[in-house]
Amino acid sequence: MKYIGSPVRRVEDPRFVKGRGRYVDDLWLPGMLHLAVLRSPYARARFKVFTDAITGEHAKDFVSPNFFAPLYPKERVLPLGQASYYGEPVALVLGRDPYEARDALDDLEVEWDPLPPVLDPEEALNADPIHPDVPNLVYRDQFFYGEFREGDKLEKSFRYNRQSPSPIEPNAVVADYDPHGGLTVYANTQVPQVFRTALAVTFGLPRSRVTLKVPDSGGGFGGKIFIKPILLATLASMVSGRPVKYVETRTEHLVAAVHGPDRRYRAVLHHSGEKVLGLEVELLEDFGAYLHTYQPLPVLRQIYHLAGAYDVKFVSLRVKGVLTNKAPTGPYRGLGIPPAVLVLENLVSSLARKVGVDQFQVRESNLIRRTPFNSITGAVYDSGDYLESLRRLAREVDRGRRGLGVAFALEPGSSLAFQTLVVKSPRTPYYEGAYVKMDSSGEVVVTMSTNSMGTGHETAISQVVADTLGVDMDSVLVRLGDSDGPPGTGFYGSRFSVVSISAVYVAALKLRERMRTVASKLFNVEASQVEFRDGTVYVGSRKLSTVRELANAAYNRSHFLGLEEVGLEASAVINSPNVNVADESRRVNFSSTYGVNAHAVLVDVDEDTGEVRILKYVVLSDCGNMINPALVDGQLTGGTVMGLGAALSEKVTYDGEGIPMGTNFSDYRIPRAAEVPRLSLIHQVSPSPFTPLGTKGVAEGGATVPPAALINAVEDALGTSFDRVEIPLTREQVLALLEKSKSRR
């Protein structure tokens, strides 16, 4: 059977359906204690803890790392006497079960001295520093690519509010510190190898004495690239001398875990008629009280999206990043790119309205005509027919109908080489490894340190290995999420299908060659003539043996066959392909591959209530060759629904004192099933020349495009372009825009 490219059922589903999944909260270790966290009820306050608890005094020398920011405030595992945002952990208590721990939390005696918070990023520029060691303006940079061409101007401002990743399972960790044996951590993180290093650095431990294991995990979306819960549980284990479990509550996740980007843009599109010349963009980025481990990478990754798939002449971006008394922002789904897609694609649709052409025509006039293409930003677009993608999308909708929104974006796949825009050392550690071993019974075990968040990785890996080795998928066992496994950097940035599955494939190819060598010795045939199909060894059409018999010989007859090595195993560690570092002009390839995500949506706007009703939603995706089309459709559907939530309802808001207004899903509204339209999915296939299987990324594209498509549709329905665009677009905003539109008529 041909497995690669087939929509086979997920191999991991039966254990979940039967309740056999094993999550962090299912784990129990002898002598384990449970952790509860005292969090600041103020956005900014001095405090004293009088009851016995684990406080900043236990962690004076333990500082959370940042790998990329040139300047950032020291974020201790627990602060020393002053809290800087609502929900910041300030003390820890332990109990024999979660209830005893929470009771101990209620019994804590704490003295609070509230201070005036700094909440507005504009005010933060001139306010006294939140932290004494750094100014509030903690990051400032400017980027210019191409040759400036002044033309007619179209100017708009944009406000992209912070959102919560909101995975079905919040952050969870069990930490077990043994001063003699080292540190073992079980956590649902997306980056076990990276956080293994971070834990070693933070607590001064040899990296070889730190092990991080990832059980089953319920979603990530960037929210699981959050080291704070792991640091808290590790500190508690080190102080208590016992294993410690901490499972974040939904409220803790919403108010104090990592949030998506909080941005204000001012953008000018230069054009000559319907031809886009370039963009000038000013960005004010609100980082919150501290810089997340990966900041400012979400700021940098958006740069090439300001040129997008268009043959523009220049892009200018000026950035100011400030600290405020809010929870930190970080790598939410798309790693900072949905706001940039909104800026570019809304300006392009507004240009269409200004010059009197439709949204497809203006894009057709500006799209890149052929790939590979070297963008002015340094991005190397690997493959795709963008014009044909746009035309296929256009055929799915009524171009003459009002209420139509179109948005076109390039899906980034793997690589964070753009970190060299701020980190001067020429390093690009974006590799992933795989071990593939066939035992003496013919069963195959694949081991990777990366993990899955419910995205079907076990299925895709099994398909690739089974297809390459000519065995049945049922004979492939996949083990994921252990930092003691092969080298790797984790599950993020649409990288699995680009670098992780490529490592699996390369390792499987090596193992296949080893199997051919054994067969040539065993049957006295040329190795190049040996093939494996349906669990059988062939030379041409002649059956020689089963794969199981061959595997048994590789282990138990190796001496008689004159084999130098016993057994059948292979490994591969490969870097993200198509990688470089920033040059003197700060041009850099931002991703390894570039897929297409083009969306078209038809809406109806109720002028009495402000409700936006989605009548039709079409997604066109080009993610190269698909290992499993059913998995791809699942990624596109889930991502698009997440993007619709960002566009219409999801928003982390604060009152005037810096207190979050949404603490559960009744206040923070993610899309409900009844609110989600049926999606029409279209696939176009342009294999990447840089990956061995021709694959590209697919996980982020669905989530990055809907805000732009929805705003464009609403503007089209109302027949106007907004001077100021805000995400999410609430009913109240729509009604206000309707009034403004009527006053202009």
Side-chain angles (χ1 to χ4, degrees), residues 433-494:
Y435 298 158
V436 183
K437 177 181 179 179
M438 179 178 286
D439 66 19
S440 60
S441 70
E443 302 293 318
V444 183
V445 178
V446 184
T447 304
M448 303 187 75
S449 64
T450 187
N451 54 289
S452 174
M453 294 278 166
T455 42
H457 289 181
E458 293 177 44
T459 301
I461 291 169
S462 298
Q463 288 180 256
V464 168
V465 171
D467 200 278
T468 306
L469 301 183
V471 299
D472 192 88
M473 277 182 62
D474 292 340
S475 65
V476 181
L477 173 65
V478 180
R479 292 174 175 164
L480 302 175
D482 189 335
S483 64
D484 285 338
T489 59
F491 169 53
Y492 59 89
S494 292

Side-chain angles (χ1 to χ4, degrees), residues 413-417 428-432 489 492-496 498-500 502 573-580 589 591-593 690-691:
S414 192
S415 175
L416 297 179
T428 53
Y430 306 119
Y431 46 79
E432 203 65 50
T489 59
Y492 59 89
S494 292
R495 71 190 306 269
F496 174 77
V498 177
V499 63
S500 302
S502 297
V573 181
I574 66 171
N575 208 348
S576 296
N578 195 23
V579 170
N580 60 13
N589 189 23
S591 291
S592 295
T593 63
F690 298 118
T691 56

Side-chain angles (χ1 to χ4, degrees), residues 316-348:
S316 170
L317 173 65
R318 292 182 174 87
V319 182
K320 292 179 181 178
V322 300
L323 301 173
T324 62
N325 291 117
K326 301 174 189 171
T329 60
Y332 176 66
R333 193 166 192 173
L335 196 66
I337 61 178
V341 172
L342 171 68
V343 170
L344 174 63
E345 288 300 296
N346 180 253
L347 284 169
V348 170

Side-chain angles (χ1 to χ4, degrees), residues 337-384:
I337 61 178
V341 172
L342 171 68
V343 170
L344 174 63
E345 288 300 296
N346 180 253
L347 284 169
V348 170
S349 285
S350 296
L351 173 62
R353 195 169 297 108
K354 177 181 178 181
V355 300
V357 300
D358 75 17
Q359 296 175 65
F360 286 99
Q361 180 178 325
V362 72
R363 288 174 171 81
E364 186 169 332
S365 298
N366 290 283
L367 280 173
I368 293 164
R369 285 300 192 262
R370 64 182 59 183
T371 57
F373 180 84
N374 294 323
S375 169
I376 56 173
T377 64
V380 182
Y381 299 159
D382 54 328
S383 65

Side-chain angles (χ1 to χ4, degrees), residues 93-342:
V93 293
L94 298 168
R96 289 168 295 182
D97 57 44
Y99 309 102
E100 185 176 79
R102 291 185 187 120
D103 288 344
L105 196 65
D106 293 337
D107 292 338
L108 282 181
E109 184 180 349
V110 187
E111 180 180 278
W112 297 97
D113 180 15
L115 301 170
V118 178
L119 302 174
D120 185 276
E122 292 279 2
E123 296 176 2
L125 292 170
N126 300 310
D128 291 336
I130 291 172
H131 303 287
D133 52 337
V134 296
N136 290 341
L137 181 57
V138 73
Y139 177 71
R140 187 171 191 169
D141 212 338
Q142 57 183 357
F143 306 87
F144 185 84
Y145 301 99
E147 180 182 350
F148 179 75
R149 302 276 186 91
E150 185 171 11
D152 294 329
K153 297 180 181 180
L154 177 60
E155 186 171 352
K156 302 183 79 166
S157 64
F158 298 85
R159 174 75 171 96
Y160 206 101
N161 287 284
R162 58 175 61 203
Q163 293 145 9
S164 169
S166 302
I168 193 170
E169 177 201 28
N171 289 282
V173 55
V174 172
D176 185 10
Y177 176 71
D178 178 352
H180 306 291
L183 173 65
T184 301
V185 172
Y186 303 85
N188 53 11
T189 176
Q190 296 174 231
V191 286
Q193 292 283 16
V194 175
F195 279 1
R196 179 191 202 184
T197 299
L199 285 165
V201 170
T202 300
F203 294 106
L205 301 171
R207 190 176 187 275
S208 61
R209 302 287 294 276
V210 178
T211 300
L212 207 159
K213 300 176 184 291
V214 184
D216 291 322
S217 183
F221 317 125
K224 300 288 179 63
I225 308 178
F226 185 42
I227 197 170
K228 187 66 134 181
I230 302 174
L231 296 180
L232 297 177
T234 299
L235 173 64
S237 181
M238 296 177 79
V239 172
S240 68
R242 305 264 292 273
V244 171
K245 176 187 285 188
Y246 171 58
V247 179
E248 193 178 63
T249 67
R250 178 61 60 189
T251 295
E252 286 177 310
H253 181 85
L254 284 172
V255 305
V258 61
H259 290 153
D262 189 343
R263 294 180 177 172
R264 293 163 172 80
Y265 292 93
R266 191 69 188 171
V268 179
L269 182 143
H270 290 256
H271 68 98
S272 176
E274 63 189 65
K275 185 66 178 177
V276 177
L277 300 177
L279 268 76
E280 292 182 276
V281 180
E282 294 182 0
L283 167 63
L284 182 60
E285 182 94 5
D286 185 346
F287 288 127
Y290 297 99
L291 265 67
H292 182 280
T293 308
Y294 274 68
Q295 289 286 16
L297 295 190
V299 175
L300 304 176
R301 197 185 193 205
Q302 69 172 321
I303 292 173
Y304 87 84
H305 286 274
L306 296 174
Y310 305 119
D311 190 8
V312 300
K313 304 306 178 186
F314 73 91
V315 168
S316 170
L317 173 65
R318 292 182 174 87
V319 182
K320 292 179 181 178
V322 300
L323 301 173
T324 62
N325 291 117
K326 301 174 189 171
T329 60
Y332 176 66
R333 193 166 192 173
L335 196 66
I337 61 178
V341 172
L342 171 68

